[in-house]
Amino acid sequence: MQKTVFVYRATSNHLEVCRWQDIPDMVFIFIRVIPFVMIGIVLMLLISNPALSIAALAGPALVGIGLASVGGDSSYQTYWQDFQHDDYLWSEVLEAMLDAEQGLIVLTLAYELPAELAAQIENPEQFTSQDVRLYFRKDQQTEVIAMVRSQIPHIVLTPGRQIYEF
């Protein structure tokens, strides 16, 4: 039920990329409603069979209340939607590749590994560049290519094929 949403904003100086998992709002509504259903079931069980201990039924009711508080929390929703925001300068683009078959432009940018990470990696010299992927629909291809070419006119947009490594 998840899909990744990409939003790009290009200015004359930089490219802004936002990415998140589009989890249906129905999931978070369900998390907020389920506790009331659980409490209703607990009350019905207690009324129908008084021999049931209140202590035995309190656990599911408390779990339901906990779910309601977590499901309604906006920071919980942001965490599970995996929201990321990045800015890249057009001036740092080293090369660009167009994969028209997949609807993708890959921009390779200069990248400097932070010192604390470089100290933990055996060969930090291999991390000198970073790829940024710009996805687009086929019907938007000409507009996206024109926008990228206007922002980085000194770099040739070479055709190629993106290979995903896992």
Side-chain angles (χ1 to χ4, degrees):
M1 290 181 61
Q2 293 184 14
K3 66 179 177 178
T4 303
V5 177
F6 294 92
V7 176
Y8 307 107
R9 185 175 75 158
T11 67
S12 59
N13 294 330
H14 72 280
L15 173 68
E16 195 174 344
V17 180
C18 293
R19 178 182 75 85
W20 67 89
Q21 298 290 325
D22 190 21
I23 300 171
D25 289 336
M26 170 183 60
V27 171
F28 299 110
I29 291 170
F30 178 74
I31 289 175
R32 281 182 280 200
V33 170
I34 193 71
F36 299 108
V37 173
M38 290 175 75
I39 290 172
I41 292 170
V42 167
L43 289 175
M44 287 179 61
L45 288 172
L46 190 59
I47 291 170
S48 67
N49 187 358
L52 291 174
S53 163
I54 291 178
L57 299 174
L62 291 175
V63 168
I65 292 169
L67 273 175
S69 64
V70 167
D73 184 24
S74 63
S75 63
Y76 174 79
Q77 293 178 18
T78 303
Y79 170 75
W80 280 105
Q81 289 176 336
D82 190 25
F83 180 79
Q84 294 181 0
H85 175 261
D86 298 304
D87 282 322
Y88 305 100
L89 294 175
W90 290 113
S91 59
E92 294 178 354
V93 175
L94 302 173
E95 57 186 45
M97 182 193 69
L98 168 65
D99 185 348
E101 197 171 310
Q102 294 186 41
L104 172 67
I105 294 177
V106 180
L107 302 174
T108 302
L109 291 102
Y111 177 71
E112 185 176 331
L113 197 62
E116 60 272 3
L117 292 177
Q120 300 172 9
I121 296 175
E122 188 174 311
N123 188 8
E125 292 82 28
Q126 68 184 4
F127 297 98
T128 58
S129 65
Q130 173 183 17
D131 287 344
V132 176
R133 293 175 176 87
L134 302 178
Y135 298 94
F136 56 86
R137 294 191 325 247
K138 300 286 183 174
D139 62 333
Q140 297 174 333
Q141 181 171 339
T142 55
E143 293 87 2
V144 172
I145 291 172
M147 183 270 303
V148 170
R149 284 188 175 147
S150 70
Q151 298 301 329
I152 51 172
H154 58 285
I155 295 178
V156 177
L157 191 59
T158 58
R161 181 86 172 139
Q162 176 66 33
I163 298 172
Y164 295 95
E165 298 174 7
F166 296 102

